[in-house]
Amino acid sequence: MSPPVAPPGWSRWLVPPAALSVHLSIGQAYAWSVFKPSLESALGLSGTQSALPFQVAIVMLGLSAAFGGTLVERNGPRWAMTVALVCFSSGFLVSALGAATEQYWLIVLGYGFVGGIGLGIGYISPVSTLIKWFPDRPGMATGIAIMGFGGGALIASPLSAQMLESFGSDSSGIALAFLVHGLSYAVFMSLGVLLVRVPRSEKPVQGAPSAFEGVQVSAHDAVRTPQFWCLWIVLCMNVSAGIGILEKAAPMITDFFADTSAPVSVSAAAGFVALLSAANMAGRIGWSSTSDLIGRKNMYRVYLGVGALMYALIALFGDASKPLFILGALVILSFYGGGFATIPAYLKDLFGTYQVGAIHGRLLTAWSTAGVLGPLIVNWIADRQEEAGKHGSSLYGLSFGIMIGLLVVGFVANELVRPVHPRHHIPAPRQETADAERQPSEPA
């Protein structure tokens, strides 16, 4: 499948909606916590066990993005979006079979392994294309698309809760909800497959800078630089801190206020998940656009430094004030989303656009690590604290302290980022050849 070249006069503003159709669909992953209580009840699972499909999905996201990044660069965004559609939708169908037969391993295989491949390929599919279309505003461009991934749960969370209420929260009801999700997302993602285009030239808009000017570093060389690994740590720490709340959001807010005069209902907890999704989504476009003005390094100073402060406030005073708990969580999730949307532009600043999609894919192994680390810290500690007879907000005090430490580590790593040494740059003649090879030939 050759990359579809935009015809003369094609508006670059048609590309973000194509990316959004994919990212809004695969962003359903952030609504997984809505299914956790029903799965635990229907299949007799612990909190740690019910997190496994989500964790496997995030691991596969990073691995498939890392290994598939070069293929995405070579075959183009339409090929990548098609692969994402098939894998993500198929994952739900396999999970539906697993829930219907009460075979939990099939849910892990479907949603986690197969669906996770769709997450990874779908996530990186539009990134390099958008940066080429918007060389003048890379942070805003990637923020628009990646905003969809953060906002997917804004749709999926209340929809999933309504399905479980209508179909039932037993195994057959969960299976039917998975089935509806799989078929619906297949239709919606096909819109992106049909709409996406790549630019005809390196200057897609009059007056914009060339998408290929400045420092250019290959993916092979990028992973050998200290800058890549500093950003790997930055992303891993920021994601771990955010995903620790996100994966357990519904049970967490219920636990925090279970012993108060105003406990949180199941429907209110689902609403909290939707609010977190809105903050996640708003942070992706808002903070990434801000990074175009203040710089990527300064933006990550805000994400990591203020994020640690928010965690401290929730740990100390969150159980005494529901508004403080919600506000702190919303800020943390806005930084979590903003970090994802800003990282492609950070990579572009350091390594250029030559193979930024492949470099981004390799960096997302940090997300795979965080997808295990964050939920494991929160769920495992909460399970151990519950076994020790603790309850309410005391289930999370230790894990929140660990999250503060992770954010501090990320802050230090961000301070160590410097421009890439010239020895890693692509020499000018090689760069011109590489850029020429990257221009897609027009179909006959």
Side-chain angles (χ1 to χ4, degrees), residues 16-80:
L20 276 171
S21 72
V22 173
H23 274 238
L24 279 170
S25 298
I26 62 178
Q28 183 281 334
Y30 285 139
W32 177 253
S33 66
V34 176
F35 285 106
K36 282 171 61 71
S38 297
L39 284 169
E40 291 167 15
S41 175
L43 302 180
L45 306 174
S46 67
T48 303
Q49 289 173 324
S50 66
L52 186 59
F54 177 83
Q55 290 175 292
V56 173
I58 298 302
V59 169
M60 292 309 302
L61 185 158
L63 294 178
S64 61
F67 290 105
T70 303
L71 290 174
V72 171
E73 289 282 330
R74 182 182 305 142
N75 297 327
R78 178 169 288 176
W79 173 87

Side-chain angles (χ1 to χ4, degrees), residues 1 6 50 77 109 125 149 206 217 261 263 297 317 347 386 394 400 406 413 419 433:
M1 183 180 293
S50 66
L109 174 67
S125 61
F149 193 88
Q206 187 67 29
V217 181
S261 58
K297 192 168 189 175
F317 310 111
L347 292 172
E386 188 173 10
S394 60
F400 282 14
L406 294 180
T433 302

